Amino acid sequence: MQTLIENVNVINPGEDLKTHQNVLIEGNLIKEISSDKIGTKSDVNVVDGEDNYLLPGFIDCHTHIFAKGFHKEENMANPLGIHFYNAVPHSLQTINAGITTIRDCGSADLSFKLAQQRGLFIAPKVHLSITPLVMTGGHFDLLLPSGWDMEIMYPGFPKGRCDGIEEVLKKTREVKRAGADFIKVMCSGGVLTTNTSPEFAQFNKKELKTIVCEANANDMKVSAHCHSLNGMNNCIDAGFSSIEHGTFIDKKTACKMVKKNVSLVPTLLVHQFLYKSGFPAWDNYADEKTAKLKEIVKVHKENISVAYEEGVNILMGTDSGVIPHGHNLEELVHLTDIGMSEDEAIASGTVKAAEFIGHNNLGLVKENYIADLILVNSNPLEDISILSDNGNVLKVMQDGKIVK
């Protein structure tokens, strides 16, 4: 099957804008790009681009596609099936925002990946972590003071809690067995879990190195949820591939990340969104969460600006699932606020993100690259905020098929 997109302006990060282009797609690949007329088969599907702008589909490097706020009260009240059914509208919201691939940092399981591959519903492709490794009493240890454990559990989905070298080794293997593409570790306190604080490191150095060694033996990267400066340095020394959030990063640590080739997914949107929107009235821990957010919002943007200035590889991620899905490309505005150009911000969610998750033929509008594309009605190189409005995303194509 061929699809010909006529009369579009092609945007690729790091390249000049190419105007009045025609793009031929065959199967799931881009076959030809030309300003001249392209020869096609008789049954080609022709799409009039109407002089709009064609970009690579975006990759959100930090999402939770099953999640709807991580409210423990809802986990208690809802049948388990709701946990899975939530993924259907969340996926459509994500696709409609222009996201064709996600890196899920905890909650989605292998069933979601298989459902997407089998076309059971419209959904982004997924790079899975299954569930994060969590130390006893750490971020996302959901055992409440009452003694009730609020962690969602079912066959095929391992429990994340582990302590000591032997347990973290076994847990890494269990998560891999469950279908993970990478390992996620909670390496500092967080906002959503009671009795933890973002500035404190979690897991010790021997535990972290054990996780990385086992992951590397299986050619898997390791990602750290980490706000804590001490925690970040522990993870960098242990050989982690990415730091998620990085709230309290400083210049020295940023330089260390550059030297060790560690990427940063700052998720700037989530803290701003939560701080402005607040938590449900029935959330018994709302005041505690808001107090922690106040401290994070105050320093996060400034510190990530330092990381950018020092040359850290920054990737676009939103923490969607903690906040409502479908706002993903608002993150690009926050990235330009810390100093990135529009072109750099787009790259962080396309070609750089593709490289990070191991795809060398994704993230660009280029011949022989996978046809994950979006068509938008204005030039985001002139105003990146246009991508924040899903109404400006006119079409989304995934593996050569129009899904919006």
Side-chain angles (χ1 to χ4, degrees), residues 65-66 82-94 112 120-124:
I65 199 69
F66 279 15
I82 296 296
H83 182 61
F84 302 97
Y85 289 128
N86 278 337
V88 178
H90 296 170
S91 293
L92 188 59
Q93 290 163 344
T94 304
F112 178 83
L120 300 185
F121 53 90
I122 293 172

Side-chain angles (χ1 to χ4, degrees), residues 128-399:
L128 285 173
S129 69
I130 304 295
T131 193
L133 276 58
V134 180
M135 75 175 200
T136 297
H139 183 47
F140 261 72
D141 178 354
L142 300 181
L143 185 73
L144 301 182
S146 63
W148 289 103
D149 191 345
M150 302 308 300
E151 185 172 357
I152 292 175
M153 289 182 62
Y154 51 90
F157 193 81
K159 196 174 184 69
R161 194 183 301 134
C162 52
D163 300 283
I165 290 173
E166 291 185 1
E167 285 190 12
V168 301
L169 175 62
K170 184 174 183 180
K171 193 60 60 177
T172 302
R173 291 172 176 173
E174 287 181 0
V175 171
K176 177 186 178 295
R177 180 178 64 187
D181 300 301
F182 70 103
I183 304 297
K184 167 85 177 295
V185 188
M186 297 303 200
C187 298
S188 81
V191 172
L192 297 183
T193 306
T194 58
N195 301 319
T196 72
S197 188
E199 67 267 27
F200 295 120
Q202 297 182 354
F203 285 110
N204 63 43
K205 291 180 180 180
K206 288 183 179 179
E207 290 169 325
L208 297 175
K209 287 180 179 179
T210 299
I211 295 165
V212 171
C213 184
E214 182 61 23
N216 287 349
N218 294 280
D219 197 25
M220 300 171 75
K221 292 182 176 179
V222 186
S223 161
H225 157 99
C226 199
H227 300 283
S228 159
L229 185 61
N230 186 36
M232 280 184 265
N233 280 283
N234 289 345
C235 293
I236 296 163
D237 291 340
F240 277 57
S241 297
S242 70
I243 303 293
E244 317 290 312
H245 315 306
T247 300
F248 299 111
I249 193 169
D250 62 8
K251 182 175 181 178
K252 184 178 178 181
T253 303
C255 291
K256 193 174 179 180
M257 288 179 70
V258 174
K259 184 177 180 180
K260 297 279 190 177
N261 193 29
V262 181
S263 296
L264 175 63
V265 188
T267 65
L268 293 155
L269 170 65
V270 64
H271 299 135
Q272 300 282 348
F273 195 103
L274 285 175
Y275 193 61
K276 291 177 182 176
S277 303
F279 298 93
W282 45 259
D283 188 333
N284 293 325
Y285 301 100
D287 290 345
E288 180 182 334
K289 294 174 185 178
T290 302
K292 287 188 280 187
L293 271 174
K294 184 177 181 179
E295 179 65 20
I296 285 176
V297 168
K298 186 167 64 177
V299 300
H300 195 196
K301 177 181 172 182
E302 180 180 332
N303 291 344
I304 299 302
S305 296
V306 170
Y308 166 71
E309 289 167 3
E310 295 305 316
V312 174
N313 184 43
I314 293 177
L315 305 173
M316 188 198 82
T318 63
D319 222 354
S320 293
V322 174
I323 60 175
H325 298 269
H327 297 270
N328 309 66
L329 295 188
E330 287 183 29
E331 180 72 13
L332 300 175
V333 176
H334 293 283
L335 291 175
T336 58
D337 286 345
I338 60 117
M340 279 188 167
S341 68
E342 284 78 2
D343 186 79
E344 288 174 317
I346 291 169
S348 75
T350 54
V351 63
K352 283 192 171 185
E355 290 170 355
F356 181 78
I357 63 174
H359 291 281
N360 59 7
N361 65 338
L362 184 67
L364 293 171
V365 185
K366 187 175 179 180
E367 291 175 1
N368 298 315
Y369 271 54
I370 293 172
D372 288 1
L373 306 167
I374 66 171
L375 187 70
V376 300
N377 61 9
S378 303
N379 185 355
L381 294 174
E382 296 177 351
D383 180 6
I384 198 75
S385 70
I386 68 103
L387 294 174
S388 301
D389 183 346
N390 296 351
N392 294 328
V393 181
L394 305 176
K395 292 186 184 296
V396 177
M397 181 171 280
Q398 187 184 56
D399 281 326

